[in-house]
């Protein structure tokens, strides 16, 4: 079964500090593994509701294409980096290089760690590829589908 990823944004009022009654409206981004927009919204709401103390709004949901998602075993890895990769093949008719673009997410502590994690996970890849870009994303966490027993 193919994994479909949905980027979900939630908007809510976050307290500035524990003693103050002042709040700031923030928008946070999460990634949800689901089969449809409807399922993504329902699962997202189910996941975040226990962590919300007031009202919140799911302000946006969009499908994103990912070839791979590389999670880190390091508990300090709290950032997600989007890597744009060009897989290189040779066009047999023309003899020219052909590029197929893919996007991957890497969980890491910083940019250097993301590059290390990416290289480690791609070490067994048989085909040639090159990194086009790597950027830090605003993704706070991911919610994978877990079947209920």
């Amino acid at each position: 079964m193919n994994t479909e990823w949905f980027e979900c944004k939630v908007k809510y009022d976050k307290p500035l500090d524990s003693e103050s009654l002042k709040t700031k409206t923030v928008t946070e981004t999460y990634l949800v593994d689901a089969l449809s927009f409807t399922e993504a919204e329902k699962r997202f709401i189910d996941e975040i509701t226990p962590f919300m103390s007031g009202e919140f709004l799911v302000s946006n949901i969009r499908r994103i294409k990912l070839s791979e998602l590389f999670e880190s075993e390091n508990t300090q890895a709290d950032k997600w980096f989007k890597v744009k990769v060009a897989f290189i093949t040779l066009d047999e008719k023309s003899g020219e290089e052909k590029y197929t673009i893919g996007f991957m997410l890497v969980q890491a502590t910083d940019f250097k760690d993301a590059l290390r994690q990416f290289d480690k996970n791609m070490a067994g890849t048989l085909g040639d590829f090159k990194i086009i870009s790597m950027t830090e994303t605003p993704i706070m966490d991911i919610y994978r589908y877990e079947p209920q027993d």
Side-chain angles (χ1 to χ4, degrees):
M1 176 168 57
N2 264 353
T3 301
E4 294 280 341
W5 290 104
F6 293 84
E7 182 184 85
C8 301
K9 293 188 178 191
V10 62
K11 187 181 279 191
Y12 66 98
D13 291 333
K14 182 178 186 175
L16 291 177
D17 56 50
S18 58
E19 293 113 33
S20 173
L21 294 177
K22 294 181 181 181
T23 61
K24 176 182 176 183
T25 301
V26 296
T27 301
E28 293 180 347
T29 305
Y30 295 83
L31 207 59
V32 178
D33 172 12
L35 297 173
S36 67
F37 283 90
T38 305
E39 180 190 359
E41 182 177 28
K42 182 190 179 320
R43 288 196 48 244
F44 180 56
I45 289 171
D46 290 347
E47 291 283 355
I48 64 169
T49 298
F51 302 104
M52 296 291 161
S53 60
E55 290 188 28
F56 62 90
L57 169 71
V58 177
S59 60
N60 191 20
I61 299 177
R62 70 183 183 104
R63 186 183 318 255
I64 65 169
K65 290 191 181 263
L66 291 176
S67 304
E68 291 284 341
L69 188 133
F70 300 128
E71 292 181 79
S72 176
E73 294 174 8
N74 181 354
T75 56
Q76 301 299 312
D78 61 348
K79 295 177 176 67
W80 289 93
F81 294 83
K82 187 175 186 177
V83 183
K84 183 178 181 180
V85 179
F87 293 97
I88 306 165
T89 56
L90 192 61
D91 186 320
E92 294 192 18
K93 290 181 183 177
S94 67
E96 293 182 14
E97 287 184 345
K98 189 174 161 184
Y99 297 97
T100 305
I101 302 298
F103 294 94
M104 301 176 186
L105 275 183
V106 179
Q107 184 181 26
T109 55
D110 58 24
F111 188 84
K112 281 183 174 180
D113 185 38
L115 189 54
R116 249 190 324 274
Q117 292 292 333
F118 177 80
D119 287 340
K120 181 179 114 183
N121 283 285
M122 294 297 285
T125 304
L126 297 176
D128 292 334
F129 64 90
K130 66 179 180 179
I131 296 174
I132 304 297
S133 66
M134 182 182 289
T135 56
E136 186 176 342
T137 70
I139 295 171
M140 302 291 288
D141 204 356
I142 63 164
Y143 298 117
R144 287 187 179 274
Y145 174 74
E146 293 182 19
Q148 303 298 319
D149 294 332

